Structures are given as structure tokens and as C-alpha cells.
Amino acid sequence: MKKLTSQEIRKMFLTFFEAKEHQILTSASLIPVNDPSLLWINSGVATLKPYFAGQKMSPSKRMVSSQKCIRTNDIDNVGETAIHHTFFEMLGNFSIGDYFKKEAIEYAYEFLTSNKYLGLDKEKLYITVYPTDIETYNLWLALGIDESHLIKLANNYWEIGEGPSGPDTEIFYDRGIEYDPDQRGLELLTKEIDNDRYVEIWNIVFSQFDAKEGLTREEYPELPNKNIDTGMGLERICCIMQDGKTNYDTDLFLPIIKEIEVISKKKYYGDKPFKVIADHIRALVFALADGASFANEGRGYVLRRLLRRAVRYGRKLGIKDPFLAQLVNVVVSIMQDYYPYLEAKTNTLFDLILTEEKLFFLTLDSGEKRLRNLFKHSTDGKITGAEAFKLYDTYGFPFELTLEYAQEAGFTVAKEEFEEYMDQQRKRARAACHFKVEGKDNSELLEFKEKSTFVGYDYMTTTSKVIGLLKDGKLVSYLDADGVVILDNTPFYAEAGGQLSDTGYIISDNSKAQVVNVTKAPHLQHLHAVKLTTGIINVGDKVKAEIDIERRKRIARNHSAVHILHNVLNSVLTNEVSHAGASVEDTGFRFDITYFGKISDDDILKVENMFNEKIKLNHPTQTELMPLAEAKAKKAMALFDDKYGDMVRVVTLLDSVELCGGTHVNNVLDIERLAIVGFEPRGTNVYRILGATGDNIKSQLQKAIQPYQLEMNKLLTKAEDILAKAKDEGIDLAFDFELPPIPLTSYQGVISYRKEMDRLRDKLKTLGKEYQKQTQQKMLSNVNALTELIEKLNNKKVIIAKVEGYDTKGLKQLLSDLLDKHELDFIFLANINNNSVNFLAKKRNNAHNNINCGAIVKEASIKAGGSGGGNNLLAQGGGRLISAVDEIVKNVKWLVMKKD
């Protein structure tokens, strides 16, 4: 058998199909574009779905690719089996309405068996086919595959709901009897038993039928265009061609494993921790390089889980410090030949992974300690959902990590209960969302197809006709209460692209309704959520629809500001700034960005100043409708996560060119002025900018400084408390703080308030230190004063005295210090303070039987009209009869003078 590297196999596959008139496609990003059904690109065909579905014209009828993929549904099998991975590359050839079964099978056979290519022994190939797919069965026979190597399996059919479907044929490679310890042979294939002997290396899907609900597969109609979708895992074929025991024993993984050996100082003998780490670091490197980031949900949660799982397996190898970032260079060196963009991102990837790893190390120890404590005190071998949720929410432990720890310890975890807690958390997060249009997701709207036109770019008020009404999610003929109104034409902008909807009124001769929110129906009609104030609305009514014009203007200012701000950020900062979400309202805006680097206050001030200089120009806004290809040629940027059709609206504001369906100012002068009112990091390389424009600036800046004002009030109260306490103790302290005038016109005002808060905090810290210093000095003086009261009574070295004005807490410490420093046998102090007396007694040891601190203090407290007590060695009490103190002290001395 040939020995081929992964690079040689990938290149050979692509050039083989290129020679057969296939267009080579670049591996797409792991992050799906306009496909909310996928978290990650998980197959070669996933990036081609619009072509297969006929939604877009494909660049060629024949295509071939090596597509990077991520799948996490089999994460528990990673490291357990020879073939499972989270990140992998899928080699695939595709035909859209061109060649079909005959060519697809012949191409696969040629590539696998020809000595010009892989040169595999055909006697080691076993083929599965769908039982009724006689054509495929005969095609394999015609190529020389022995009938004993052809297995019919009912599962050889690809189908996901209604739509394209069809039989498939899978090619397996027989690795030999050494991978079949029970010598079960073909039973492993016929009964579809997981095994290491017969490895699936290629799957060819014949997409030829249109699956319909209610029909059997035999009744499915044929598609007018038949397609081919194939997939061959690069890691698996490398394992075969490099004669590795597992996929990990190939040039795609061994360099990573060798580096783990160096870090862990342990040898690799097929151990699971090495495999898990090697697999997960590849997924992390490629996902982060494609723009994903660590987070607590979605893709970010997957990445966080992978990193934390890898760290945990590193600890199994004895690695106690962050180490994953050290593997980035190795992954890049293995993969950069086909993915050259990785090299330029190496340092960024290193920093991202190291930062996240350090964050996890901060919580890992406490989380593990919490788990061990739960294991120790459990009586039923179960971890409750509440406990699992606390580990996730408080300690940063992914549920899957808790589950792994629990399973290793022989425990179970209440997953359903955990999911209930997670669902409650999601509901709380959604509670702050905007009013949701009732019936938006109702099936009746799917059937409602009457046309509704948005004319709000040009008109603020329209005369319209009511074409639909919804009440409690149902289409109705009239509304006599709150509900949803659909108009044949409307000036109301529907919430989209991060921009809030318009509000206003819908008025007829017989009714008036306040529009509180607008969204879009499945067929894009605008759904006006209304609060009916008077009358009844009927389908067919003629109405006047009018938006709140001033509110629209404020929203437009803020939306246009976000566009220009994005452009200015890219001008000021050194690295590329990518949008990560936005919200545009009438009072201001939120703009989240991804930026690989640090952003300072000075950077934000530069951005704010440059922005305000730019909008001084008299520059009209340009809006154009053009083909998507033309917009891309103009380098128009998609600011929000909208889906775009063939024709798109392009908005040009100064140097900013964006694809956008939102409302904007007519001229940049209309923005008037921008103030950044907030800026903060929101995660690894994610930042949030809050801004306001025009007449909203003052109120939003006031809102921004409120937290600083509240904190300064708290700090000043603490300072007053210290000064008052010091005065009571006879300590003279000086403290002054005066807030200078701070103009609230820009982000500089926010910075100034924050700096003043920090200055006040520093002054408070200095005040606290000075108070402690003088308190210690006073205590030293007190020690000296009390030392003079030492006397000997009946060979006992004691202090028994009346004192005044001592702080009780400090006096306790004084007793301990005096007892040790001067080797005293006993101390009793009657401390008069604020018209009351406090008794403290302490004894060195149990040597003097006639001295019992608890009994002495109890008796003294009773005589002083109070209470107290303690034990033989230490006691405390008090009362309010100060006139009795002299007699009490005299009695204690008399007691101590008695013989033991």
C-alpha cells in the first residue's frame, strides 16, 4: 500500500476531480451564513444547500471540496473510538443535475483502487447498498466487486423530512482480523455493529426522490434534477493510507500528541486524554480563526465546553497550568499549507485560548472542590438538577463536565431537572424583551398571503385599507380590543436588523388604535400590534396610518450613527473591527463589536471626535437598490445579521457603505452630534459601545454617570463613618473631597466622573490607613498605660483595675498582648465608656483554681445591673451601675489574694 501524507491525499482528491471538470471550492467558514438551522458547518454539502434546493444558481454543475467541519453530537466518543472527532475535514464531490449513479460510483472506484491514485486493494473493499437499489448493486458488480462484498442494508437511505432524498451506498475498508478480536467477520457489517475492522471511508448519496408525507419510499416521485452528494473523511482515509491504529496515529494528530508528551512529561500509549486534547485544540483553533468566540451560549458555549474538557483531560495527565495555547503553533504548522490564513492569526489564537484557559483555571479548583463535597455527603449517589445548575451558573462548570465527573465517580445527574433550571433562566432573560406580536408564530399566518406594502421610506402617513386582523392568535373579522392589524400599505417600519419598529396611530371614522410594535409575518406583511383606545376595527375599513415622526427621526439619527461609527472605528483602531450585534432605539443605541486587541479611553475619545468632525460636512445620504453582486463589488458591508435577496438596499453615509433596510437621516448633518455614553468589554475580544445623538445626549450621559454618583455617595458615607468613629475615640483626622465642575457633553464627562470616583476611593483608602495608624499608636499608648497597672497579689502577676474610654474590641486584643508579653497570670478590667461599664477577664492557664473568669465576670455584671459570663479562661460582661465599679474591683482583688 502507498504511504501518503494528509497533504498529498487532499491535493490528490481535489486534482482528481478537477481533471473531471469539477470546480474546486474553497473550504467555507465553519460559521454558517444565513442558515439558522445549523450551529456549525457539519458536512461538505451543508455549504451547498441553496444550490441543491434550487434557491441559487451554483457556480458549476460539478464541484469538489475539502470542507472543514465541526460536529459535537458524538463528543463523548472522542478518544474512545478510533474515528470520532469534533473537528474534521470532509472530502466531497458533488453534481447538481449533471452526472448520477454510474459516474459517481466509477469515480469513487477509480480514485480508491487505481495505482495512479490511492491504489487500495479492491478485495479489501466492502460496499453497502439500499435493498431495492438494484442499479447501484449492478454497477458495483460491473466494476469487479465480488457479490460477497456487497451487502444490502435498509438504513442505506438519506432522508430528512420532506424534500430531496434517496438511497446511498457506503464504501468500507477491511482492516483485517487483528481488528476483529471476536472474529465476527461480516456480521459486523450486516448487523451494523460498531467496530474497528470495517471502516467506512466514503458515502455516496443519490438524491433522486422527493420525499412526501403520507407516502412510502417506493411511492416517492422522482426529482426532475438528480444530484450527487459524497463525503470521505480525510482523517479516516489518512489512517488507512498511513497504516495507523487509529485516526490519531496519523500526521494530522501525532505532532500535537508529541507536544502534549513534552508538556505533560508522559508517553503516549493510545491514552484517551492525549486524543481528546489533540482533537479539541484543532476545533478551537479553526473555530476561533473563523470568527467564533467564547461565550455562555450557542457556538461560544460549545467552544468553552471543548476548552474546559481539554483542560480537564490535561489535569488527568498531571498538567496543572494553562497549556493549550502552546499547541496552537503545532496545529497551524500542520494545517497552514491548505489553510494559509492561519499563520497570520497565530498570535491572536494563542492569546484567545490562553486568556480563556486562565479564566477557567480560576474557577476549576473551586468547582471540583464543590463536586467532591457533593460526592462525599451524598446518600443516594445522585447529583440534583439544582446542584448541577449551581455548578454551571456559579462555578462555570458545563453540565457535560459535571456529568463526566459524576459518571466516573459512579453517580447519576438529574438532567431533566437541570434543564428545567436552565429553561427558567432563559425565561428570565426573555422577560425584558419587547412586546411580542401575538400570533406571529401562529400557523394561520402561514396561509395569509394578501400583499402588504411598506412605503415608510417615502411617507410618514398613509391612507390604507385593513386587510387582516388577529385576536388571540386567530384571524378575525373585527377587533373590539387589543390585537394585530394588517394593512394593504403602511408607513410603519417593522422591527428588523436591530432597529426598533415605528409607533404611532391607526385611525378611522369609527376607531382609534395606538400602534405599540410592528413585526413581520412569514409572508412579510407588517403586523401592527395595537392597543385599541376607541371603537371597533373591521376588515375592509379605510384608515389613516401615521407614525410618530419625531421618534422616527431620533431612531434614524441613531441608526445612521451606528453605520458611521463602525467606519470610524476601523479608521482609528489598528485591527479590523467586526460587528457582533446592535440595537437601535429612539433614546440611543448599543453597538457590540469584535476586536482582537485592547481599546483605551483615548481610542474612544478619538473615535468620538473624528465622528463629530465628519458629520459637520453637508453630505446627503444615498440609498440605492441594486443586485447583491453589484453591492459586493462596491464592498458594501452587512452591518446586521439580515438575510439578503438578489436585490439589496445599499445605504451610503460618508465613507460607510452598508447593506441595510433600516431608516436613516437624509443628511449626515441631521445627526447633529454623537456622544459615546458607555464603553465596556463584554467577553474575550468583544466590546460594547453605548451612544446617543442630538437632544438625547444630555439625558443619556446623566444616566451613564449615575452609577459613579451613587458609588461616590457610598464612599463619602464611609468616610463620614470613619471620621465620626475617630472623633469618638479622640483621634483627630483630616479629610476633604470636592467634586470639580464636569461638563456633560461627551464621553470625556463619563471618564472624568469615573476618575473622580477612583480619586475618592483612593482618598478613602488613605483615610482608612491613617485611622488604623493612629488607632495602633493609641493602642500602644494604652498598652504602656496598662503596663503601669501591673501588680503582684499572692505571688500572682495581675492587672485588676478600673479604666475609661477604651474601645472594647481593641481592649480584647490588648488583654491578649499584655498576658503574653508580660507573662501575666490574670487580667480583669472594668472599662467605663458612654455611661456603662464593660468587664473583661482573661487568665493564662488553669493553674490558679480560685480564679474562674466566667464566675468572676458573671458576679461583677450582676452587681453592675447587667449580665455576662464565659469560661474558666476568658469572659466578658457589663452593666450600667458605674457607682458599683470601685467595690467590684476591690472584691476581685480580694478573691485573687486568696490562696489556691
Side-chain angles (χ1 to χ4, degrees):
M1 185 191 299
K2 289 183 180 180
K3 298 287 185 182
L4 297 173
T5 67
S6 57
Q7 302 285 9
E8 290 170 334
I9 294 170
R10 187 194 294 112
K11 184 177 181 180
M12 184 182 289
F13 182 86
L14 296 173
T15 55
F16 171 82
F17 282 99
E18 184 181 35
K20 298 188 184 300
E21 300 179 336
H22 287 62
Q23 180 175 329
I24 298 177
L25 302 177
T26 302
S27 183
S29 168
L30 285 164
I31 301 174
V33 177
N34 293 334
D35 189 349
S37 67
L38 292 177
L39 199 61
W40 303 100
I41 292 299
N42 58 9
S43 65
V45 76
T47 63
L48 309 179
K49 283 164 65 174
Y51 306 143
F52 276 76
Q55 297 168 347
K56 291 183 179 180
M57 289 293 294
S58 61
S60 170
K61 288 189 173 183
R62 298 183 174 204
M63 295 170 286
V64 62
S65 68
S66 179
Q67 175 61 45
K68 52 196 173 185
C69 306
I70 284 181
R71 290 182 193 170
T72 56
N73 55 313
D74 288 326
I75 190 171
D76 293 333
N77 288 324
V78 172
E80 290 284 352
T81 71
I83 59 174
H84 283 97
H85 304 290
T86 55
F87 172 85
F88 58 93
E89 286 182 84
M90 188 63 79
L91 305 172
N93 59 290
F94 311 94
S95 168
I96 299 179
D98 191 53
Y99 64 82
F100 200 50
K101 290 183 180 180
K102 183 176 185 297
E103 294 88 343
I105 291 171
E106 288 176 350
Y107 292 159
Y109 182 77
E110 180 184 1
F111 184 75
L112 290 174
T113 63
S114 170
N115 287 328
K116 187 178 177 182
Y117 303 105
L118 297 189
L120 296 178
D121 182 355
K122 74 172 184 178
E123 297 304 320
K124 288 185 176 292
L125 299 181
Y126 286 79
I127 317 295
T128 61
V129 298
Y130 189 62
T132 61
D133 189 1
I134 306 304
E135 181 185 0
T136 296
Y137 190 90
N138 290 333
L139 284 169
W140 284 116
L141 284 176
L143 288 171
I145 298 297
D146 191 84
E147 196 169 357
S148 63
H149 285 227
L150 291 170
I151 298 111
K152 295 179 179 180
L153 293 177
N155 282 337
N156 272 61
Y157 199 96
W158 184 85
E159 179 179 8
I160 305 178
E162 292 194 348
S165 67
D168 61 37
T169 182
E170 297 174 335
I171 305 170
F172 291 80
Y173 183 83
D174 181 6
R175 306 202 71 195
I177 194 70
E178 61 268 33
Y179 292 92
D180 185 7
D182 298 329
Q183 299 187 28
R184 302 179 73 170
L186 278 179
E187 181 187 13
L188 297 170
L189 276 180
T190 58
K191 293 186 177 180
E192 299 185 77
I193 300 169
D194 287 339
N195 69 94
D196 292 329
R197 175 172 179 175
Y198 299 100
V199 178
E200 180 194 342
I201 56 174
W202 207 332
N203 184 21
I204 305 171
V205 178
F206 308 117
S207 183
Q208 67 182 112
F209 298 109
D210 188 9
K212 298 287 186 183
E213 189 176 353
L215 300 180
T216 65
R217 285 177 177 171
E218 290 71 22
E219 296 172 325
Y220 289 166
E222 289 208 356
L223 291 167
N225 290 318
K226 298 177 177 64
N227 304 322
I228 290 292
D229 158 26
T230 84
M232 176 165 62
L234 178 63
E235 291 76 12
R236 293 190 186 186
I237 197 63
C238 282
C239 179
I240 302 299
M241 302 308 298
Q242 296 174 24
D243 196 26
K245 188 175 181 180
T246 71
N247 291 0
Y248 296 93
D249 302 303
T250 66
D251 63 357
L252 289 169
F253 292 93
L254 284 175
I256 305 171
I257 289 171
K258 289 185 183 300
E259 185 63 24
I260 300 170
E261 284 183 325
V262 172
I263 296 169
S264 67
K265 298 180 174 59
K266 287 184 171 60
K267 290 293 291 180
Y268 170 64
Y269 297 105
D271 316 74
K272 181 178 179 179
F274 285 90
K275 295 176 182 177
V276 171
I277 296 167
D279 171 89
H280 290 5
I281 189 62
R282 282 170 26 111
L284 290 169
V285 165
F286 275 91
L288 292 169
D290 279 359
S293 58
F294 296 105
N296 285 329
E297 58 185 9
R299 296 183 194 96
Y301 176 70
V302 172
L303 296 187
R304 188 157 275 168
R305 178 188 173 193
L306 290 174
L307 181 137
R308 294 180 173 191
R309 196 167 186 264
V311 167
R312 188 199 162 210
Y313 277 96
R315 289 167 80 90
K316 286 179 176 289
L317 295 176
I319 305 173
K320 300 299 183 183
D321 298 310
F323 70 97
L324 287 172
Q326 298 175 51
L327 302 175
V328 171
N329 276 318
V330 186
V331 176
V332 172
S333 66
I334 296 169
M335 307 300 285
Q336 67 181 352
D337 182 63
Y338 190 65
Y339 300 100
Y341 67 88
L342 289 176
E343 186 175 11
K345 298 188 176 186
T346 302
N347 292 337
T348 298
L349 295 170
F350 181 95
D351 292 341
L352 287 173
I353 291 173
L354 181 60
T355 300
E356 181 66 21
E357 200 173 359
K358 285 180 177 179
L359 288 173
F360 183 45
F361 267 83
L362 293 176
T363 60
L364 185 59
D365 288 335
S366 55
E368 287 182 334
K369 183 178 179 181
R370 171 74 179 169
L371 259 177
R372 286 194 296 270
N373 192 48
L374 290 174
F375 294 154
K376 181 179 178 181
H377 293 97
S378 174
T379 58
D380 57 4
K382 296 178 181 178
I383 300 295
T384 68
E387 290 162 342
F389 179 76
K390 184 174 182 179
L391 282 162
Y392 165 78
D393 197 44
T394 304
Y395 296 95
F397 252 57
F399 174 79
E400 296 79 9
L401 200 56
T402 298
L403 188 62
E404 286 187 19
Y405 273 99
Q407 288 172 342
E408 289 180 1
F411 278 66
T412 60
V413 185
K415 184 175 182 179
E416 289 185 5
E417 186 188 349
F418 170 80
E419 290 295 344
E420 288 176 8
Y421 277 93
M422 287 295 293
D423 189 51
Q424 290 171 17
Q425 186 185 62
R426 294 185 193 105
K427 287 178 180 177
R428 288 194 296 270
R430 288 195 295 267
C433 291
H434 295 294
F435 176 91
K436 185 177 180 181
V437 173
E438 61 171 303
K440 181 180 176 183
D441 300 317
N442 191 281
S443 59
E444 289 201 21
L445 280 173
L446 293 172
E447 303 302 322
F448 187 84
K449 297 180 180 180
E450 286 196 50
K451 186 178 180 183
S452 173
T453 305
F454 172 63
V455 296
Y457 294 135
D458 302 310
Y459 301 99
M460 305 294 130
T461 302
T462 62
T463 300
S464 306
K465 177 183 177 182
V466 176
I467 60 173
L469 297 167
L470 283 103
K471 174 65 178 173
D472 299 326
K474 302 292 183 183
L475 287 166
V476 295
S477 60
Y478 68 91
L479 274 184
D480 57 2
D482 299 348
V484 173
V485 178
I486 308 174
L487 305 174
D488 63 344
N489 66 82
T490 178
F492 287 88
Y493 178 84
E495 183 173 343
Q499 178 181 325
L500 288 189
S501 73
D502 285 322
T503 58
Y505 288 91
I506 294 175
I507 305 168
S508 74
D509 292 339
N510 303 313
S511 65
K512 183 176 183 180
Q514 182 184 5
V515 178
V516 295
N517 193 23
V518 186
T519 58
K520 291 181 182 178
H523 296 291
L524 304 183
Q525 303 99 333
H526 285 208
L527 304 175
H528 306 78
V530 301
K531 290 186 177 297
L532 189 63
T533 56
T534 59
I536 295 175
I537 306 175
N538 296 283
V539 172
D541 281 355
K542 292 288 185 181
V543 298
K544 181 171 79 169
E546 56 183 24
I547 68 168
D548 183 334
I549 296 174
E550 290 306 313
R551 182 175 179 274
R552 161 76 78 86
K553 287 179 179 179
R554 292 194 295 271
I555 291 174
R557 280 203 304 260
N558 291 324
H559 198 157
S560 297
V562 171
H563 280 228
I564 298 172
L565 177 62
H566 192 181
N567 181 265
V568 173
L569 282 163
N570 273 308
S571 298
V572 171
L573 301 176
T574 54
N575 299 324
E576 182 182 357
V577 176
S578 301
H579 73 88
S583 175
V584 177
E585 302 182 6
D586 56 326
T587 55
F589 65 80
R590 166 185 59 78
F591 185 36
D592 293 340
I593 61 172
T594 302
Y595 179 74
F596 296 112
K598 300 293 183 183
I599 302 177
S600 67
D601 283 339
D602 285 343
D603 291 328
I604 295 299
L605 289 174
K606 287 177 185 175
V607 167
E608 188 182 59
N609 289 334
M610 182 182 288
F611 182 105
N612 286 319
E613 285 300 314
K614 279 179 172 286
I615 64 170
K616 289 178 181 177
L617 301 171
N618 183 355
H619 199 288
T621 302
Q622 295 180 0
T623 57
E624 304 170 88
L625 199 63
M626 64 180 67
L628 181 59
E630 185 180 336
K632 287 182 177 179
K634 290 186 68 170
K635 296 184 178 179
M637 186 160 40
L639 185 60
F640 302 112
D641 295 329
D642 285 336
K643 295 181 176 67
Y644 302 103
D646 292 332
M647 296 296 291
V648 294
R649 184 170 181 258
V650 178
V651 178
T652 302
L653 291 145
L654 298 170
D655 299 325
S656 167
V657 184
E658 311 274 4
L659 273 63
C660 182
T663 59
H664 290 275
V665 295
N666 294 321
N667 191 302
V668 296
L669 284 170
D670 297 336
I671 298 173
E672 298 177 13
R673 193 162 55 85
L674 166 78
I676 304 296
V677 300
F679 172 73
E680 61 178 346
R682 299 289 293 180
T684 307
N685 298 308
V686 177
Y687 298 90
R688 172 163 292 177
I689 299 172
L690 302 177
T693 58
D695 56 7
N696 285 126
I697 287 177
K698 185 175 181 180
S699 62
Q700 292 301 305
L701 282 171
Q702 289 281 5
K703 184 178 177 182
I705 66 167
Q706 278 180 0
Y708 302 132
Q709 291 174 323
L710 290 172
E711 180 63 18
M712 282 192 278
N713 287 337
K714 290 179 182 178
L715 294 173
L716 287 170
T717 300
K718 288 181 180 179
E720 289 170 359
D721 291 343
I722 292 174
L723 291 170
K725 191 175 181 182
K727 184 178 180 181
D728 290 342
E729 296 172 10
I731 298 173
D732 186 23
L733 292 177
F735 179 82
D736 67 281
F737 176 80
E738 186 175 340
L739 186 68
I742 298 175
L744 272 184
T745 57
S746 70
Y747 188 59
Q748 183 60 61
V750 179
I751 295 172
S752 297
Y753 264 93
R754 186 183 346 115
K755 287 182 176 179
E756 286 302 308
M757 182 189 70
D758 292 338
R759 182 170 73 90
L760 176 55
R761 187 178 281 124
D762 289 340
K763 287 181 74 69
L764 180 62
K765 192 180 294 183
T766 301
L767 178 68
K769 288 180 179 178
E770 182 62 25
Y771 171 69
Q772 288 181 346
K773 178 182 175 182
Q774 294 202 33
T775 300
Q776 289 171 353
Q777 289 175 346
K778 184 178 180 183
M779 188 173 289
L780 181 61
S781 174
N782 291 336
V783 168
N784 294 332
L786 290 173
T787 301
E788 296 176 359
L789 300 175
I790 296 174
E791 58 184 322
K792 272 201 171 185
L793 299 175
N794 194 20
N795 293 318
K796 300 181 186 83
K797 197 173 182 183
V798 300
I799 296 176
I800 303 172
K802 177 178 73 173
V803 295
E804 292 186 21
Y806 284 88
D807 174 61
T808 303
K809 185 177 178 182
L811 198 58
K812 287 181 183 178
Q813 184 60 46
L814 276 176
L815 260 65
S816 297
D817 293 344
L818 287 165
L819 208 68
D820 294 336
K821 184 177 180 180
H822 296 283
E823 297 183 350
L824 301 179
D825 294 300
F826 175 66
I827 298 178
F828 176 87
L829 293 175
N831 178 38
I832 297 172
N833 208 344
N834 294 330
N835 299 318
S836 64
V837 60
N838 178 251
F839 301 113
L840 290 171
K842 189 164 186 176
K843 186 172 74 167
R844 172 172 292 280
N845 51 46
N846 290 309
H848 304 291
N849 296 327
N850 65 320
I851 299 177
N852 184 305
C853 292
I856 291 171
V857 167
K858 183 178 181 180
E859 184 180 349
S861 299
I862 292 172
K863 289 182 178 179
S867 63
N871 56 38
N872 186 32
L873 297 176
L874 179 65
Q876 180 178 348
R880 290 198 170 273
L881 294 178
I882 298 174
S883 58
V885 170
D886 290 336
E887 185 64 27
I888 290 169
V889 171
K890 181 179 177 181
N891 288 340
V892 173
K893 285 188 176 183
W894 177 84
L895 179 65
V896 171
M897 289 175 65
K898 291 171 62 178
K899 291 185 178 180
D900 294 338

